[in-house]
Amino acid sequence: MKLTDYLFQRLHQLGVKSMHGVPGDFNLTLLDYVQPNNLLWVGNANELNAAYAADGYARLTGLGALVTTFGVGELSAINAIAGAYAERVPVVHIVGIPTRAQINGRALVHHTFCDGEFGRFSDMAARVTAAQTRLHDARVACDEIDRVIATCMRESRPVYIEVPVDMVGAEVDGSALKSPITVHDAIPSQNVDAALEKILAKVKAAKKPMILIDGETRPMDMIKGVENIMKATNWPTFTTCFGKGLVDETVANFHGINMGAFDLQERQEFIKDVDLVFSYGPHNSWTNTHAYTSIPNPEITVAFQDTKLIIGGDIIRDVPVKVITDRLLESFAAESFNKYDTYPTISRDYAIPYSDVPDKDILAQDRLWHVMANFLRPNDVLLAETGTPGYGAREMPLPKGVRLFNPATWLSIGYMLPATQGAALARRDQSASGEDARTILLIGDGSFQMTAQELGTIVAHNLDVVVFLINNAGYTIERCIHGREQAYNDVADWRYLEAPKFFGAKEDTFTARAKTYGELKTILQDKRMSDGKGLRMVEIMLDKDDAPRGPLVGLMAKQKGN
């Protein structure tokens, strides 16, 4: 078979049904193989957006892919690939490159520095991917494809595959397609028994335990296992920004995000007094831990990572997280470890009923997100862009099955709009009918201007997307940090609700604007909005100095004081 047939069929076997990317002269013949291999060609507005979209797709399906051209195309995408590396998202980046003769002959071709050097871009990619290969030898090309993709899946990080133009149609032995790619589970060592004994000793001694669920639970493929631990113990369970939306938040012992020093005082007091923390998938960046203040005390923490545990600061290696979690569940089934005779009083995320807010009141972020929570329903996908929407979504109670994409570490503004396109497409690819697959975006005006072109891709593929655009006249999150009155935190005043029409949406596409709670309630209860199909867009008008609860409020107060 042809090399590119092998590559695309292998991806299709692993659940990739849509290929993101942008055509360029070094990948055109490669793209001829997309549709014949039952892949949908998405066709994004630019390579950065394509990589963002592939990331959004992968977070739901377990694997995403994009195709770019050599040099200018791949470098456009590299910011998004770096973000996927930072937040552990499995994306296969395929790059069409010049022929082997041009590379070996150091030809002075376009999209280079005109110096005959063809390795610079792959060197750059190596810094932000878990594995790389150049398919220059048909004898080993299939093995290389499988090696790199297996690494992508095992590490849950992006990988990089170069396909020279003259290798696109090379004949290869495709017999390996008959066998699935095997991602071997870590082999348990004798350390497992000792680790279990240590953990259970801490559990038996504990008086006030809790669970903290972080975002690397997803790449560890432990969402269901952690949810089972939460339900089996009935211990108070918190999450981080990165971890919110991974487990069932309707469970009575789930209490939302641990905001550390920025949390409510009663919650801080409870967490301060706990004597055991099960921390799953820790991702301890400054932004994900509320300036490091929500990181639990290592002395009382059992941190569960892919193949190791950290117990009271001591590292125990070669203990696969799935194995130790299953052993713990067996122990919890055999013996009750309910530590609370009377369950503690700890606040939970909440929605504010429409009737509790006067219609005439102007929209403001102290209540906005609690009111908007009424719009959510089970199995929605909610994406909240870096900025005030990302902070606001942290307070929203999520119905069962809702997945949330929330800023964690990379924080590249503009990511969420293309990621919404990828997520909406993933939901459709995963469902034969596509019913109840609403994808909802909360995005600020400044971030929207970064990647607005992907509205066109959403329209072109008739994806069911609801966009709430927060218009606060620029970068409010930056105003909170510095330069509250500076022009560099302002953005151009677009006519946002004309964007759907400009990007090809139908004349009757639902659009609306809200300045008051009464207007917002009318919009959210409109069946065209809640149950409609295709693109829907709402502009929410807010004061430029208004910020949601948490770190931003304190920062804005300092700015105003200055």
Side-chain angles (χ1 to χ4, degrees), residues 62-388:
L63 192 65
L66 74 151
V67 177
T68 67
T69 196
F70 174 71
V72 293
E74 59 183 302
L75 294 188
S76 176
I78 200 168
N79 171 39
I81 297 299
Y85 191 93
E87 298 185 1
R88 294 194 65 182
V89 185
V91 174
V92 180
H93 185 187
I94 302 163
V95 181
I97 68 173
T99 67
R100 289 172 296 174
Q102 289 172 317
I103 294 170
N104 294 337
R106 300 179 63 84
L108 304 184
V109 300
H110 58 292
H111 298 340
T112 70
F113 297 136
C114 205
D115 60 359
E117 174 55 58
F118 288 86
R120 283 200 176 91
F121 307 134
S122 57
D123 287 346
M124 295 177 190
R127 299 288 185 173
V128 293
T129 55
Q132 312 81 33
T133 189
R134 177 177 291 175
L135 303 179
H136 61 85
D137 186 341
R139 297 170 298 176
V140 297
C142 297
D143 292 338
E144 280 294 286
I145 289 169
D146 288 357
R147 175 187 67 82
V148 169
I149 294 177
T151 302
C152 181
M153 298 169 65
R154 182 179 63 252
E155 302 296 329
S156 192
R157 295 195 194 272
V159 295
Y160 177 84
I161 299 176
E162 292 180 304
V163 185
V165 171
D166 60 319
M167 286 293 292
V168 167
E171 296 286 341
V172 297
D173 178 3
S175 59
L177 283 177
K178 297 175 184 177
S179 303
I181 288 182
T182 302
V183 180
H184 297 288
D185 291 330
I187 299 174
S189 70
Q190 59 186 9
N191 293 342
V192 172
D193 289 336
L196 180 65
E197 187 176 335
K198 281 190 173 185
I199 296 171
L200 290 178
K202 284 187 168 290
V203 170
K204 290 174 182 178
K207 304 290 186 189
K208 293 184 66 174
M210 64 167 269
I211 298 169
L212 181 62
I213 300 171
D214 209 338
E216 295 203 18
T217 300
R218 170 191 52 78
M220 294 193 310
D221 193 24
M222 282 301 300
I223 293 174
K224 193 61 182 176
V226 172
E227 189 171 287
N228 289 338
I229 289 284
M230 175 177 71
K231 293 176 179 178
T233 61
N234 198 40
W235 297 346
T237 300
F238 298 82
T239 185
T240 64
C241 312
F242 197 17
K244 184 171 170 62
L246 292 180
V247 299
D248 182 1
E249 299 195 4
T250 66
V251 175
N253 58 314
F254 183 85
H255 297 281
I257 293 176
N258 173 13
M259 295 188 181
F262 303 93
D263 216 331
L264 299 175
Q265 192 61 39
E266 50 98 356
R267 290 162 61 93
Q268 291 189 52
E269 290 296 327
F270 171 80
I271 292 172
K272 183 180 70 175
D273 290 339
V274 301
D275 54 7
L276 175 63
V277 180
F278 274 15
S279 175
Y280 269 94
H283 184 91
N284 291 335
S285 68
W286 187 83
T287 42
N288 190 46
T289 60
H290 289 81
Y292 307 128
T293 63
S294 66
I295 299 174
N297 178 359
E299 295 301 316
I300 62 168
T301 300
V302 179
F304 297 83
Q305 300 180 359
D306 298 71
T307 60
K308 71 180 180 183
L309 293 171
I310 305 176
I311 303 177
D314 295 330
I315 298 174
I316 305 178
R317 303 187 188 279
D318 304 318
V319 180
V321 63
K322 292 182 181 180
V323 173
I324 195 67
T325 299
D326 286 344
R327 294 284 298 274
L328 283 169
L329 286 169
E330 291 171 5
S331 299
F332 294 155
E335 181 179 354
S336 174
F337 288 98
N338 183 4
K339 295 293 182 175
Y340 296 92
D341 294 330
T342 301
Y343 193 84
T345 301
I346 310 170
S347 64
R348 291 164 51 87
D349 295 333
Y350 61 93
I352 297 178
Y354 296 130
S355 57
D356 286 4
V357 184
D359 287 352
K360 68 179 187 313
D361 281 9
I362 299 297
L363 295 174
Q365 301 205 42
D366 58 345
R367 292 179 292 180
L368 172 66
W369 309 104
H370 301 285
V371 172
M372 288 187 64
N374 293 291
F375 184 72
L376 299 177
R377 64 190 185 202
N379 301 317
D380 283 341
V381 179
L382 178 66
L383 298 95
E385 180 63 91
T386 296
T388 56

